[in-house]
């Protein structure tokens, strides 16, 4: 399902306390059986977000996240054309080989935890930068101004 190759846990650097706490939040939110499954979701979703987010919002979000999560976000080069929320979910599903339903679940779990780390003001700024459909991914109403 997840394409990123990783070695056994005992050969990896230990995670920071902040990242461990983020993983536990995502594990709880996503009802994942293991912390490793939560880590897969974080890496998949934040890499996708890193391909979409630019500017001050990208930098400010990276500052709010534990180092390991910030590195995943900022290691991606933003794409030339921002994706709608729906296209983002389809892109992440395609890259992971997972179903769209599973991917949407992963996105919701990760974005819930990211929202808690970033706070409502930064999330609002991020949503104003991105095309339509992203608010729903962050668990918010996707309101568009009247014409």
């Amino acid at each position: 399902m997840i394409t990123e190759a990783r070695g056994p846990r005992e050969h990896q650097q230990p995670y920071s306390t902040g990242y461990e706490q983020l993983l536990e939040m995502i594990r709880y939110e996503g009802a994942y059986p293991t912390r490793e499954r939560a880590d897969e979701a974080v890496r998949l979703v934040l890499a996708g977000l890193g391909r979409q987010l630019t500017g001050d919002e990208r930098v400010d979000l990276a500052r709010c996240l534990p180092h390991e999560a910030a590195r995943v976000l900022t290691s991606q080069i933003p794409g030339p054309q921002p994706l709608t929320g729906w296209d983002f979910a389809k892109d992440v599903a395609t890259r992971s080989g997972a179903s769209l339903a599973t991917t949407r679940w992963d996105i919701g779990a990760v974005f819930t935890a990211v929202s808690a780390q970033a706070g409502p003001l930064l999330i609002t700024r991020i949503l104003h930068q991105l095309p339509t459909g992203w608010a729903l991914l962050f668990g918010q109403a996707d309101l568009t101004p009247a014409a």
Side-chain angles (χ1 to χ4, degrees), residues 2-132:
I2 305 297
T3 58
E4 180 183 84
R6 295 181 34 169
R9 172 81 179 171
E10 62 270 6
H11 297 294
Q12 297 175 12
Q13 294 283 351
Y15 293 139
S16 69
T17 303
Y19 191 63
E20 291 282 350
Q21 291 171 343
L22 180 67
L23 289 179
E24 279 304 312
M25 185 183 300
I26 292 166
R27 183 175 174 207
Y28 175 80
E29 215 35 67
Y32 298 121
T34 64
R35 192 174 283 175
E36 288 73 24
R37 178 62 185 95
D39 183 53
E40 290 175 358
V42 168
R43 292 176 186 285
L44 180 67
V45 173
L46 287 185
L49 182 59
R51 290 188 293 275
Q52 298 302 306
L53 200 55
T54 61
D56 290 340
E57 289 75 18
R58 178 183 174 106
V59 172
D60 291 345
L61 180 58
R63 285 184 190 146
C64 294
L65 298 173
H67 176 72
E68 297 89 341
R71 190 174 10 165
V72 172
L73 176 78
T74 59
S75 68
Q76 301 298 309
I77 298 170
Q81 184 69 24
L83 300 175
T84 65
W86 174 245
D87 288 334
F88 170 76
K90 290 190 299 187
D91 179 64
V92 172
T94 299
R95 289 174 186 268
S96 71
S99 71
L100 193 53
T102 298
T103 301
R104 179 61 185 90
W105 185 269
D106 291 344
I107 291 168
V110 172
F111 282 175
T112 296
V114 166
S115 294
Q117 298 266 312
L121 294 177
L122 178 54
I123 296 302
T124 299
R125 287 178 35 219
I126 289 169
L127 291 175
H128 279 108
Q129 182 191 105
L130 296 168
T132 62

Side-chain angles (χ1 to χ4, degrees), residues 1 109 116 119 121 140 144:
M1 180 185 323
L121 294 177
Q140 297 183 17
T144 56

